[in-house]
Amino acid sequence: MSSERITTVVIGAGHAGLTASKFLTERSIDHVVLERGEPANSWRHERWDSLRLLTPNWQSRLPGFDYDGPDPDGYMTSADVVELITRFAVHVRAPIRTNTNVTSLRRADEGYRVTTSDGEIEARTVVIASGACNRQAMPDFASGLPAEIEQLTAFGYRNPAQLPDGGVLVVGASATGVQLAAELRQSGRPVILSVGEHVRLPRTYCGRDVLWWMDASGVWDQRYDEVDDLTRARRLPSPQLVGTPDRTTLDLNALAAMGVELVGRLAAVRDGRALFSGGLRNVCSLADLKLERLLGVFDEWARTEGRKPAAAAPERFAPTEVPRSARLQLDLRGGEIRAIVWATGFAPDYRWLDVPVVDAKGHLRHDGGAVDSPGLYALGLPVLRRRKSTFIHGIEDDAREVIDHLAGFLAVRR
Ligand SMILES: Cc1cc2nc3c(=O)[nH]c(=O)nc-3n(C[C@H](O)[C@H](O)[C@H](O)COP(=O)(O)OP(=O)(O)OC[C@H]3O[C@@H](n4cnc5c(N)ncnc54)[C@H](O)[C@@H]3O)c2cc1C
């Protein structure tokens, strides 16, 4: 087992850790990137087969590394993202140690002791870039389901052929849930979709990708210290979007038209019955209202910037059609459904982190990426410094500022 001293250890070689490495190199800060698998590991092993990015290709930019392929308005597959990130790692000459799992991080006299599957490292500063989506967030009652129901999470799901024939309950109607519900329905299965709080977005608005509007109007650039309710903003689910060549909108109306049955949030499982909230209409109205407000922001931006939208008048979308009497329970033993797919959101995994900086809900305590322990930093978390923080194109600004802070910390210590 080796033991060595390095100024900065970066944990994780996803796009966040590699971008940190780029800025550390630019500042001549000696460092190493520790990766338990290979670069872009989560895109290699933790995504379903049909997944495409919901962000368009032109937006998949990393610092000094813009998309230069033939289809700027298309959406990458996971394999394309692996290629992008692998090329970026080579481009920035990141000093990566692959197959090196960090099993513990604790405070030491002059900073931190990092224990890995390959020895110990003493580091003055550490950047945690291990990802925000390492495991499925699951409700407690998931463990109380009848044994005959097959359960899969978005991590374990690859394609419809994995599931037994018959009906499926998909729990969660954000990006993952709507995509999996559509795919399962298209495979010929009856699908029930349990819908909680969600963010509704059309794929295109006034002739342009809706994410172009988010980018151009500055909505995605809003800083964490300008957001009214930061805790809430950090917990917002991902928008109901899918990246398909024909730029389909995949909202609840589209799913209902495909034959997906909508029910309220799964609130409990009791005596073999799934109990759904009666608040479906409310969550849908709220999502419709928020969509209206967001389109209003786009319209206002277009007006003040003197941008002429492609359409003559601002586009508006039909309200979500909520079933008149959505069912409130489902007998899980009755054979109507054979499987449940949990699309209930992702969470980070800090079981290896032995510094007391994780709150009761499992989130890191940090201020714009400066973690609540001197010399410890984080990247790639929701609304870390901006609304776009967890997206590929969001990392450049965050990483530059976080590494600036880290360099300032080292300069003072020196
Ligand atoms: C289903 C899904 C779809 C998404 N779609 C989009 C999209 O369309 N557009 C977009 O811009 N973003 C998207 N994102 C968000 C974001 O781009 C990804 O989550 C991205 O993978 C985050 O990059 P990262 O570098 O922060 O973390 P990750 O890519 O997760 O990288 C973290 C790395 O750390 C390693 N690691 C973790 N723990 C340890 C440890 N203890 N020791 C050593 N190594 C460790 C992991 O192996 C991994 O390689 C999506 C996310 C998910 C989950």
Side-chain angles (χ1 to χ4, degrees), residues 12 15-16 35-36 41-43 47 53-55 102 390 392:
H15 75 260
E35 168 54 55
R36 63 182 169 189
N41 212 46
S42 57
W43 295 102
R47 309 284 189 257
L53 289 190
L54 48 82
T55 41
V102 174
T390 37
I392 291 171

Side-chain angles (χ1 to χ4, degrees), residues 12-296:
H15 75 260
L18 295 171
T19 305
S21 173
K22 175 190 162 63
F23 290 126
L24 288 164
T25 299
E26 280 179 11
R27 289 176 163 276
S28 305
I29 297 173
D30 82 292
H31 68 281
V32 68
V33 182
L34 304 180
E35 168 54 55
R36 63 182 169 189
E38 291 175 71
N41 212 46
S42 57
W43 295 102
R44 291 173 196 268
H45 302 296
E46 296 170 5
R47 309 284 189 257
W48 56 94
D49 296 348
S50 65
L51 182 132
R52 281 179 180 269
L53 289 190
L54 48 82
T55 41
N57 291 339
W58 59 264
Q59 209 162 40
S60 295
R61 51 184 183 241
L62 288 164
F65 214 66
D66 285 352
Y67 177 81
D68 60 358
D71 185 18
D73 295 321
Y75 307 91
M76 290 186 194
T77 62
S78 298
D80 296 334
V81 183
V82 171
E83 210 225 303
L84 169 82
I85 293 175
T86 309
R87 278 198 297 128
F88 182 67
V90 173
H91 173 73
V92 300
R93 296 201 175 96
I96 310 172
R97 292 185 194 172
T98 54
N99 302 309
T100 306
N101 190 23
V102 174
T103 53
S104 165
L105 174 70
R106 53 174 62 90
R107 283 211 62 96
D109 292 344
E110 285 181 48
Y112 295 90
R113 174 167 299 120
V114 188
T115 307
T116 79
S117 49
D118 193 33
E120 300 229 314
I121 302 172
E122 303 274 338
R124 288 164 66 200
T125 53
V126 172
V127 180
I128 299 174
S130 53
C133 305
N134 308 119
R135 61 184 180 85
Q136 185 79 40
M138 298 267 280
D140 294 341
F141 52 77
S143 54
L145 287 166
E148 57 267 37
I149 296 284
E150 183 122 347
Q151 295 189 54
L152 271 182
T153 67
F155 272 98
Y157 177 86
R158 289 291 169 271
N159 55 58
Q162 262 176 306
L163 298 181
D165 285 342
V168 185
L169 170 64
V170 177
V171 186
S174 293
T176 302
V178 296
Q179 291 179 31
L180 300 192
E183 174 164 290
L184 287 161
R185 181 71 196 121
Q186 278 154 357
S187 77
R189 288 178 169 73
V191 175
I192 302 173
L193 177 64
S194 166
V195 181
E197 188 187 358
H198 57 273
V199 178
R200 181 182 178 196
L201 281 187
R203 181 69 265 183
T204 57
Y205 178 60
C206 291
R208 287 212 182 241
D209 196 297
V210 73
L211 299 184
W212 177 87
W213 288 93
M214 295 285 278
D215 211 44
S217 66
V219 170
W220 251 349
D221 280 324
Q222 191 185 18
R223 289 177 53 92
Y224 76 114
D225 42 14
E226 296 165 358
V227 172
D228 284 342
D229 185 346
L230 184 57
T231 308
R232 193 176 148 67
R234 284 182 170 160
R235 309 258 155 95
L236 267 187
S238 55
Q240 286 174 334
L241 280 177
V242 62
T244 52
D246 54 354
R247 293 184 169 194
T248 335
T249 290
L250 190 59
D251 58 13
L252 298 180
N253 286 347
L255 285 164
M258 290 166 64
V260 172
E261 179 184 341
L262 306 180
V263 296
R265 196 174 64 84
L266 179 58
V269 174
R270 217 168 285 146
D271 303 327
R273 291 184 165 272
L275 307 181
F276 303 110
S277 148
L280 179 61
R281 186 167 300 279
N282 286 349
V283 289
C284 292
S285 304
L286 193 64
D288 289 351
L289 188 76
K290 287 189 173 166
L291 171 61
E292 278 290 313
R293 265 197 226 140
L294 182 67
L295 300 182

